[in-house]
Amino acid sequence: MRDEDAGAGAFPPWDAIDVSTTDGEALLWRNRAALLFDTLPVPVAVCSADGVVLLANLAMAAEWGTLPGRLSGRNALDLFRPRDSARMRPLLDALRLRHRARFSIDVGWRVANGSGRHGELTVDVVSQVPGARPVLLLTLRAVSASADTGVDDRAGGMSRVEARILAGAARGETTARIAEDVDMTVDGVNYHLRRLSRLWNVRTRTALVARAYVLGVLAPDAWPPVPVQEAGDRA
């Protein structure tokens, strides 16, 4: 591969895999890798060296209540706000020198309903060919929501939007209707339901709702079901 071709920030990296087999087998492995990337429960994105999103998985897109393709072309600095701009300097130096490196940056961002969240963004500077212009692999670990989102620590740092999704599930609403209620895509709602199912170790939506009541996420004496914070606001 020519250096200028590698420097174009081509992605996914498996584009360059030489499987030394038939084209059909190569396509099969490419599709498997793409499926694995898209279904990772951890929010992941790949950016060009100047921060433009080339590819994002469903978990990353769900943070903004959108689809992965709609994040493409946006700049990572428009999506995440570094809490300490000085932490960006080593990353910029690594990009300038084309060095492979890993950095952890404390960032904040706003989810689909406008509420704030913060967490740790791990940035891997990756180069497919030594000396070529690198790409950035972003991995997001949400720590919690901001104070104004009414996070219930007993529920594992759950945000208001997730409480509203659970209230919709308790009312028996379809996933599409819940998505309308919280101004999110169906994929985004499903992502949050899966996240809570893993967090609470339950398998069904009914068990998820029951767990929400046990943890005090949903108001026990309100009908139709509402999050505990909203029941307090209405009182």
Side-chain angles (χ1 to χ4, degrees):
M1 178 184 292
R2 295 178 302 173
D3 189 58
E4 59 265 32
D5 291 337
F11 188 82
W14 47 82
D15 280 345
I17 295 176
D18 180 10
V19 294
S20 301
T21 56
T22 67
D23 290 343
E25 289 174 319
L27 180 60
L28 176 63
W29 281 106
R30 173 194 171 96
N31 290 342
R32 285 175 176 171
L35 179 62
L36 175 62
F37 175 84
D38 202 40
T39 56
L40 283 173
V42 178
V44 179
V46 177
C47 300
S48 63
D50 53 2
V52 175
V53 176
L54 303 175
L55 192 68
N57 70 351
L58 279 169
M60 181 67 84
E63 288 292 334
W64 285 269
T66 188
L67 296 174
R70 293 179 181 174
L71 288 183
S72 298
R74 297 186 63 178
N75 195 288
L77 289 177
D78 294 332
L79 300 173
F80 299 103
R81 302 180 307 280
R83 290 177 174 262
D84 182 1
S85 57
R87 299 277 294 177
M88 296 292 292
R89 176 53 56 186
L91 171 59
L92 296 175
D93 288 341
L95 289 171
R96 178 174 55 83
L97 299 171
R98 300 186 177 185
H99 287 170
R100 294 189 179 190
R102 170 174 289 184
F103 303 93
S104 295
I105 303 171
D106 191 21
V107 296
W109 69 97
R110 292 202 171 274
V111 294
N113 69 341
S115 59
R117 282 167 67 78
H118 80 274
E120 183 182 66
L121 187 69
T122 300
V123 183
D124 285 284
V125 182
V126 181
S127 178
Q128 294 177 344
V129 178
R133 194 180 186 203
V135 295
L136 306 177
L137 176 64
L138 311 184
T139 307
L140 181 64
R141 182 176 69 87
V143 175
S144 71
S146 298
D148 62 353
T149 60
V151 169
D152 187 341
D153 289 335
R154 295 171 301 168
M158 189 182 62
S159 65
R160 276 183 183 259
V161 70
E162 288 178 328
R164 291 176 61 199
I165 287 172
L166 287 171
R171 291 191 294 268
E173 294 177 354
T174 65
T175 306
R177 178 55 190 270
I178 294 172
E180 291 179 7
D181 290 343
V182 299
D183 192 24
M184 186 178 288
T185 65
V186 169
D187 285 332
V189 170
N190 283 330
Y191 166 73
H192 286 291
L193 289 172
R194 287 195 300 268
R195 189 189 86 83
L196 292 171
S197 294
R198 289 193 300 270
L199 179 67
W200 295 342
N201 193 29
V202 298
R203 294 186 177 182
T204 67
R205 187 173 292 199
T206 300
L208 198 60
V209 169
R211 185 73 166 166
Y213 275 111
V214 170
L215 291 173
V217 174
L218 300 179
D221 54 355
W223 187 264
V226 294
V228 113
Q229 297 95 335
E230 292 186 16
D233 293 342
R234 296 176 185 180

